[in-house]
Amino acid sequence: MSRSPSSASHNALWGGRFAEATDAFVAEFTASVSFDRRLWRHDIQGSLAHSEMLCRVGVLSAEERDAIHAGLKRIAQRIEAGQFDWRIDREDVHMNIEAELTEDIGAAGKKLHTGRSRNDQVATDIRLYLRDAVDGLRGQLRQLMTALVDLAEREADTVMPGFTHLQHAQPISFGHHLLAWFEMLKRDEARFADCRRRINVLPLGSAALAGTSYPIDRSITAALLGFEAVSENSLDAVSDRDFAIEFLHCAALTMMHLSRWCEELILWNSSQFAYIDLPDRFCTGSSIMPQKKNPDVPELVRGKTGRVYGHLMSLLTLMKGQPLAYNKDNQEDKEPLFDTLDTLAGSLRAFADLIPALKPRREIMREAALRGFTTATDLADYLVKKGLPFRDAHEVVGKAVALALSRNISLEALPLADLQALSTLVAEDVYDALSLENSIAARDHWGGTAPTQVRAAAARARAWLASPT
Ligand code: ARG
């Protein structure tokens, strides 16, 4: 990035009314080109559409429009090739591109900004940028969801302990657990889709705040840019960033889900649980303890969740004190948005690589499900089916658990005579009720953990993934 020709000179794009040049530090302090140049593609996309519209309504001649289009395309090529000189004295991405265009094509370049302000221009750029970002994230979410369904189908019959309060509660299918994650991501994807509708509205034409006196046709610009609607109110359109805050909110919720998931992966990868093996390539070692294999990727994603929450809070705070219409405060919206996108896209990418490579240790999961009296509820249900009221059954099973605990054995290891001493309703078939496989198979309803239900849920998940976005 360069400061040439000199930050002490007058700004060529708005310097007309100024008697002295901008202070060099102020120029640097207020410039945003160091970060908002990331919007360049969308800035050019907006300018192509704006000039096309101006031509169609007769404000620009076809020659002027053609010169502008050719010039913008040359600029795009130069930026792409890393040959564009981004200048701090030109403040932001918009003025860098416009000034360069005028240098390149002359007088026609000066007409590009007719009927437009940077206020509606930047609002348009961010909307175009976020629309692409949302589409990319939704694609990533769907890719990850596909990996989850594949794994869930493979693991429908794998038994693990389900937890409440991080204590063994009841046996569940590992596939069922994986599909719980799927549901969270499905809601995240739907939230992004909904957010996209409010992003996809054209602000251009609002100009600085009040609209413009040129005979513009905003429906042309909207159609050219693929916006579904044209903003209703110019003051609102140039100033509010609620769509960006909503984007951050969607991202924060997704990160929250990924972070919960990370927590489980970290626990499961620990030697205390040892339910899964994370592939070596997702872990790192310790410089001092040779035996260590640390689950760095899940830990980092869990950690990065904090910065996305922070960005959401930043933008909420950025917006709360602003009177209508545009204020320079809004320039501060970009870095939180860009960092959120990078963080979430990176986290989703890491997960999409990790999930298919995850190795469950089925024997250890099953062993764990046998501990902690996970089929105690099944024993109570067994007694209820034989006619005992549930509260009484609960009491009997509590005693059976205490007995097993005192002998340091599992429920199904209790001899029949001992169980019958607690309730005369117990018969030989009690051991069927106590088996892990029968326990999960018994939860055989929509949303339950029976392997047949898990497979049916996976099939519905696949159908959802195959439906158009
Ligand atoms: N760089 C500015 C931003 O990001 C563009 C709009 C500037 N408008 C203005 N009136 N100074 O918001």
Side-chain angles (χ1 to χ4, degrees):
M1 193 153 349
S2 82
R3 284 177 181 75
S4 60
S6 143
S7 45
S9 68
H10 272 104
N11 189 300
L13 288 121
W14 47 248
R17 63 99 73 206
F18 285 77
E20 64 174 352
T22 315
D23 177 89
F25 169 73
V26 171
E28 208 146 317
F29 188 73
T30 56
S32 54
V33 64
S34 63
F35 51 86
D36 70 9
R37 59 198 233 201
R38 216 170 132 161
L39 294 171
W40 70 266
R41 268 178 218 286
H42 303 90
D43 192 71
I44 289 178
Q45 190 187 357
S47 291
L48 289 170
H50 178 66
S51 49
E52 175 66 31
M53 181 278 288
L54 288 180
C55 173
R56 292 202 205 163
V57 299
V59 172
L60 288 182
S61 69
E63 295 70 46
E64 287 165 337
R65 184 229 17 225
D66 291 347
I68 289 171
H69 280 205
L72 286 172
K73 284 173 188 160
R74 277 193 295 276
I75 288 176
Q77 279 162 6
R78 279 175 37 219
I79 297 174
E80 193 102 64
Q83 288 160 359
F84 189 87
D85 182 23
W86 294 103
R87 283 168 45 173
I88 287 180
D89 61 304
R90 288 177 175 170
E91 207 176 310
D92 56 23
V93 60
H94 324 291
M95 297 207 290
N96 265 271
I97 291 175
E98 191 193 329
E100 197 70 22
L101 179 71
T102 300
E103 264 182 25
D104 182 11
I105 66 169
K110 293 187 184 170
K111 294 194 176 180
L112 170 63
H113 212 52
T114 311
R116 176 176 91 168
S117 151
R118 274 185 298 153
N119 296 352
D120 59 345
Q121 185 178 357
V122 70
T124 304
D125 292 4
I126 302 171
R127 283 173 184 271
L128 289 171
Y129 185 91
L130 284 185
R131 190 176 70 186
D132 281 352
V134 162
D135 291 346
L137 290 171
R138 288 175 67 201
Q140 283 192 284
L141 280 166
R142 283 170 170 265
Q143 192 193 340
L144 177 52
M145 282 189 270
T146 305
L148 267 179
V149 180
D150 290 345
L151 191 59
E153 256 167 4
R154 223 163 40 238
E155 304 299 330
D157 294 303
T158 306
V159 183
M160 71 180 287
F163 293 84
T164 61
H165 312 277
L166 200 58
Q167 302 179 64
H168 292 193
Q170 291 176 349
I172 55 167
S173 144
F174 181 42
H176 193 53
H177 193 115
L178 294 165
L179 289 181
W181 288 344
F182 178 93
E183 288 302 313
M184 298 178 208
L185 296 185
K186 187 172 131 190
R187 288 192 296 276
D188 291 331
E189 199 274 349
R191 258 186 291 273
F192 274 116
D194 194 46
C195 167
R196 189 189 195 278
R197 293 192 299 119
R198 279 175 292 281
I199 289 174
N200 205 19
V201 177
L202 173 82
L204 208 60
S206 303
L209 75 163
T212 172
S213 55
Y214 293 94
I216 58 171
D217 184 341
R218 301 182 66 205
S219 68
I220 295 177
T221 325
L224 289 169
L225 292 173
F227 282 116
E228 277 160 325
V230 174
S231 65
E232 288 286 345
N233 182 291
S234 60
L235 300 171
D236 173 49
V238 290
S239 62
D240 204 3
R241 295 289 183 264
D242 60 353
F243 63 93
I245 297 174
E246 206 177 330
F247 171 83
L248 292 180
H249 165 245
C250 296
L253 278 179
T254 308
M255 288 300 295
M256 179 273 288
H257 284 145
L258 293 184
S259 182
R260 291 186 69 188
W261 188 349
C262 287
E263 177 67 13
E264 294 194 324
L265 292 177
I266 293 162
L267 286 171
W268 293 352
N269 187 61
S270 69
S271 52
Q272 291 88 336
F273 280 77
Y275 290 2
I276 56 164
D277 218 0
L278 287 179
D280 283 0
R281 65 180 188 279
F282 292 99
C283 299
T284 60
S286 157
S287 54
I288 173 166
M289 298 165 284
Q291 84 283 14
K292 287 305 251 331
K293 179 177 152 186
N294 300 326
D296 286 45
V297 170
E299 286 175 8
L300 255 182
V301 171
R302 187 177 60 183
K304 282 174 185 291
T305 303
R307 65 203 275 168
V308 174
Y309 289 5
H311 295 325
L312 171 60
M313 205 41 65
S314 297
L315 250 68
L316 281 167
T317 312
L318 176 77
M319 205 70 238
K320 74 181 270 290
Q322 289 193 48
L324 286 172
Y326 176 86
N327 301 280
K328 185 81 163 181
D329 310 43
N330 278 345
Q331 184 164 288
E332 287 288 303
D333 65 356
K334 290 165 200 70
E335 286 164 293
L337 286 173
F338 296 152
D339 187 66
T340 296
L341 176 59
D342 292 344
T343 304
L344 181 52
S347 302
L348 289 172
R349 191 200 144 148
F351 265 89
D353 290 348
L354 189 150
I355 292 305
L358 190 143
K359 296 255 176 307
R361 295 168 140 174
R362 301 189 183 99
E363 277 315 304
I364 294 180
M365 287 186 179
R366 193 170 193 292
E367 272 300 307
L370 286 169
R371 289 193 308 271
F373 310 105
T374 57
T375 53
T377 317
D378 296 276
L379 179 54
D381 291 343
Y382 168 85
L383 293 169
V384 169
K385 280 174 200 149
K386 301 249 166 172
L388 203 60
F390 183 77
R391 276 294 149 226
D392 296 337
H394 191 285
E395 171 79 18
V396 169
V397 177
K399 287 189 176 134
V401 167
L403 187 63
L405 263 179
S406 73
R407 295 186 195 164
N408 200 20
I409 55 173
S410 63
L411 269 184
E412 58 275 25
L414 284 173
L416 187 60
D418 288 325
L419 288 169
Q420 284 173 331
L422 294 171
S423 168
T424 52
L425 294 170
V426 174
E428 187 71 49
D429 62 354
V430 70
Y431 294 104
D432 292 339
L434 293 179
S435 94
L436 294 179
E437 280 68 21
N438 287 344
S439 169
I440 64 169
R443 275 124 184 109
D444 188 13
H445 52 77
W446 189 287
T449 193
T452 48
Q453 293 294 342
V454 173
R455 275 185 270 273
R460 291 196 296 273
R462 273 200 203 290
W464 184 86
L465 284 167
S467 69
T469 59

